[in-house]
Amino acid sequence: MFDIETDVAVLGAGPGGTTASIFLSKAGIKHHIFDKATFPRDKICGDALSGKVGAVLNKIDPQIVYELDKHPDYTNCWGVQFIAPNGMALDIPFNKDKSVQKYAPGFISKRMNFDNFMVSKLDETFAVRKFACTIKDVKQTPQHIEITYNENGQDKICAAKMVIGAEGDRSLVAKKLAGHKMNPHYYAAGLRAYYENVSGMHPQNFIELHYIQETLPGYLWVFPLPDNQANVGIGLLSSKVKTKNIRLKEMMLNALEKNPGLKERFKNARIVDDIKGWGLPLGSVKRSLSGERYLLVGDAGSLIDPFTGEGIGNAMVSGKFAAETTVEALTKNNFSAEFLKNYDTNVYNKLWNELKLSYTIQRLLNRPWLFNFVANRAVKNKTIRETMSCMFDDLNMRAKLKSPAFYFKLLFNL
Ligand SMILES: Cc1cc2nc3c(=O)[nH]c(=O)nc-3n(C[C@H](O)[C@H](O)[C@H](O)COP(=O)(O)OP(=O)(O)OC[C@H]3O[C@@H](n4cnc5c(N)ncnc54)[C@H](O)[C@@H]3O)c2cc1C
C-alpha cells in the first residue's frame, strides 16, 4: 500500500539529519534518510565550524577531526577578531593551549565540502538514502506519519513510525506538525558571497566580525577559506530589515567599497559566485521540539545561536539527541508526545543557557557606544582580552558580559 514502510524517516541530510542518521546506525537502527538534493550541494552559510562541531565529530569517530585538520579543503581557525563601530579591532584567540590541543579549535570549509563529507559517513548497512526526493507533505495518522515525497516526477508515500524533521529553515514537519511560525524578532536574514584575493587576512586565520558603522544594526563577516578565498556575508534581524527598510546587498557592497578598514583589502578582490541569501531561525525563545511521532532537529527547531549565528554545531548536537530519543522510543514502543518530551529536555539542558545568554548579548549589541567602549578598553588591557577569550570556552565567563559589574570594572580599570 505504501511505497516505503520504515521505523524511522530522517527528513533532510544537512549536518542535523546526517548526525541523527549516523547515531541511529551506530545503534543498529534501520532507517531512511531523505533529501531533495543530491550531494555535493551548496548551502548558504558562513561556513564556520565551531568547537561544538568538533565535539560531536569526536563522538562519531575521534580520528575525524585529525582528518579535517590536515585536509586542504579546511582552514584551521584559532580565534576571532571583532571590529567595533569605531573601527577598533580586537583579537580574541580561542584560549587553547597549543601543546595540549592537537587540532585546530575551529575550521572553515565550504558547506559543499563539509555536508558532502557528512553524507560520506552515512552507514549504508542501516541507512537507505533517498536523495533527489522532495518532501511535499507530512500527515499524522494514529499508526504512523505519512510522508508524501516526489521522486523522478512521481508522488510517493512513505509511512514511518518516527520522523526526525531536519529539513532546515523551511521544515514541513515544523510548520505542519509542530505549528511553528516565523517571527521576525527571532529570525535573521543573511547574505553570503565568495571572494578571492582579499588582502590582509589574519595570519592565524581568525574569523572577522565587523560591527561597523556602515552595517549597523547588522554585522558583516569575513571568514578565511583555502585557495586564497574568503566567505563574506552580512546578517541582520528580519524585524530590523523590515522596519528600517534595509537593502542588505547594497549595505554589504557599500561597506566593502567605502569602509576605511575594508576598501583597501577588497580593492583587488574578485567575487567568484553570485551573492545569495537565506534565513536564520534563531533560538531566542524556547519552542517545542517534539510531538507525537516526531522530533525537530537543527534549523527545523530554530536552534541557531542569536549572537554568533552558529547553527551547524547546534544542529549536530540536537541530531545526536534525536537519534538517542528515537532508539528509546522504538525500544519501548512509545511514540507519544509525552514520552518524546525527553528530547526537548535533553536539547535545552545542553543548549538553553547558551542560547539565552546569546540573546541577551545580541540585544546589548544594539548599542554601538557600548561596543566601542568595550573594544577601546580591551585593546589596551591584556586581562580584559584574556577574559573575553575565556568567554568563548566558558559559559560562566560569558555570563559576565551581561553583568553591570563587568562594565563598572572596565570603566574604572579594576
Ligand atoms: C547566511 C548564513 C550564514 C550562516 N553562517 C553560519 C556559520 O558560519 N556557522 C554556523 O555554524 N552556522 C551558520 N549558519 C547557520 C547554518 O547554516 C544552519 O544552522 C545549519 O545549516 C543547520 O543545519 P540543518 O541540518 O538543521 O539544516 P540544513 O543545513 O539547512 O539542511 C537541511 C537539508 O534538508 C534538505 N531539505 C529541505 N527541504 C526539503 C524538502 N522539502 N524535501 C527534502 N529535503 C529537503 C535540504 O536540501 C538540506 O540538505 C548560517 C546560516 C546562514 C543563512
Side-chain angles (χ1 to χ4, degrees), residues 13-293:
T18 46
T19 303
S21 169
I22 290 165
F23 282 99
L24 285 172
S25 297
K26 275 181 179 287
I29 304 288
K30 292 205 166 163
H31 60 282
H32 288 69
I33 176 162
F34 290 79
D35 204 290
K36 65 181 177 190
T38 51
F39 290 80
R41 60 104 180 87
D42 186 23
K43 156 78 179 85
I44 299 158
C45 186
D47 299 332
L49 306 171
S50 69
K52 218 183 271 167
V53 174
V56 179
L57 291 176
N58 258 325
K59 289 186 180 135
I60 293 172
D61 173 356
Q63 282 313 307
I64 290 181
V65 274
Y66 292 98
E67 238 181 85
L68 301 191
D69 195 65
K70 302 275 172 299
H71 200 291
D73 292 340
Y74 292 74
T75 299
N76 294 357
C77 176
W78 289 90
V80 52
Q81 184 178 60
F82 287 103
I83 295 85
N86 60 6
M88 190 73 88
L90 175 64
D91 272 11
I92 309 283
F94 296 139
N95 202 25
K96 300 282 180 198
D97 177 351
K98 287 194 181 168
S99 61
V100 182
Q101 177 79 15
K102 298 285 188 248
Y103 54 84
F107 300 100
I108 306 122
S109 177
K110 289 188 178 177
R111 291 288 297 275
M112 182 83 92
N113 299 322
F114 179 67
D115 290 16
N116 194 43
F117 171 82
M118 288 299 289
V119 163
S120 77
K121 298 287 169 192
L122 297 178
D123 182 346
E124 286 184 278
T125 318
F126 300 101
V128 180
R129 298 176 191 200
K130 298 295 292 176
F131 292 170
C133 289
T134 301
I135 308 301
K136 292 183 68 183
D137 196 16
V138 284
K139 211 167 63 192
Q140 222 150 17
T141 73
Q143 297 78 26
H144 47 239
I145 289 182
E146 268 181 35
I147 302 148
T148 308
Y149 64 97
N150 190 279
E151 185 174 32
N152 297 324
Q154 259 195 314
D155 280 357
K156 298 183 178 175
I157 293 184
C158 164
K161 285 187 193 160
M162 269 293 296
V163 167
I164 296 180
E167 330 98 287
D169 174 40
R170 299 182 188 168
S171 163
L172 279 178
V173 183
K175 201 165 125 189
K176 295 212 154 181
L177 301 186
H180 287 190
K181 289 192 172 58
M182 187 271 219
N183 180 330
H185 295 285
Y186 312 135
Y187 192 89
L191 291 184
R192 177 215 70 190
Y194 287 127
Y195 277 84
E196 65 182 12
N197 214 26
V198 179
S199 62
M201 299 300 284
H202 194 282
Q204 282 184 294
N205 296 326
F206 283 20
I207 56 173
E208 301 169 31
L209 299 178
H210 296 256
Y211 291 85
I212 52 179
Q213 212 63 49
E214 289 83 345
T215 60
L216 288 174
Y219 75 90
L220 184 143
W221 68 80
V222 182
F223 294 171
L225 281 165
D227 302 324
N228 195 26
Q229 290 200 10
N231 180 318
V232 181
I234 189 167
L236 179 58
L237 260 191
S238 293
S239 53
K240 294 261 162 76
V241 174
K242 231 178 183 171
T243 51
K244 297 191 183 246
N245 207 9
I246 289 167
R247 294 205 182 114
L248 271 186
K249 189 170 164 184
E250 255 173 47
M251 186 186 239
M252 178 171 123
L253 294 175
N254 184 44
L256 298 181
E257 202 187 320
K258 302 214 173 100
N259 180 266
L262 290 169
K263 66 179 183 190
E264 280 305 308
R265 296 179 56 197
F266 279 81
K267 207 168 65 185
N268 297 316
R270 194 177 71 85
I271 196 158
V272 292
D273 193 9
D274 295 338
I275 300 176
K276 292 179 184 156
W278 197 253
L280 292 91
L282 307 174
S284 315
V285 286
K286 261 190 193 176
R287 293 177 181 82
S288 161
L289 300 174
S290 62
E292 192 166 331
R293 295 188 183 275

Side-chain angles (χ1 to χ4, degrees), residues 42 66 72 171-172 275 292 294 309 331 337 348 351 383-384 393-394 397 402 411:
D42 186 23
Y66 292 98
S171 163
L172 279 178
I275 300 176
E292 192 166 331
Y294 73 84
T331 312
Y348 283 128
L351 299 178
T383 317
I384 297 170
D393 277 342
D394 184 341
M397 294 291 277
K402 63 172 189 175
L411 188 59

Side-chain angles (χ1 to χ4, degrees), residues 1-5 144 146 157:
M1 175 178 168
F2 300 111
D3 296 280
I4 298 172
E5 282 187 62
H144 47 239
E146 268 181 35
I157 293 184

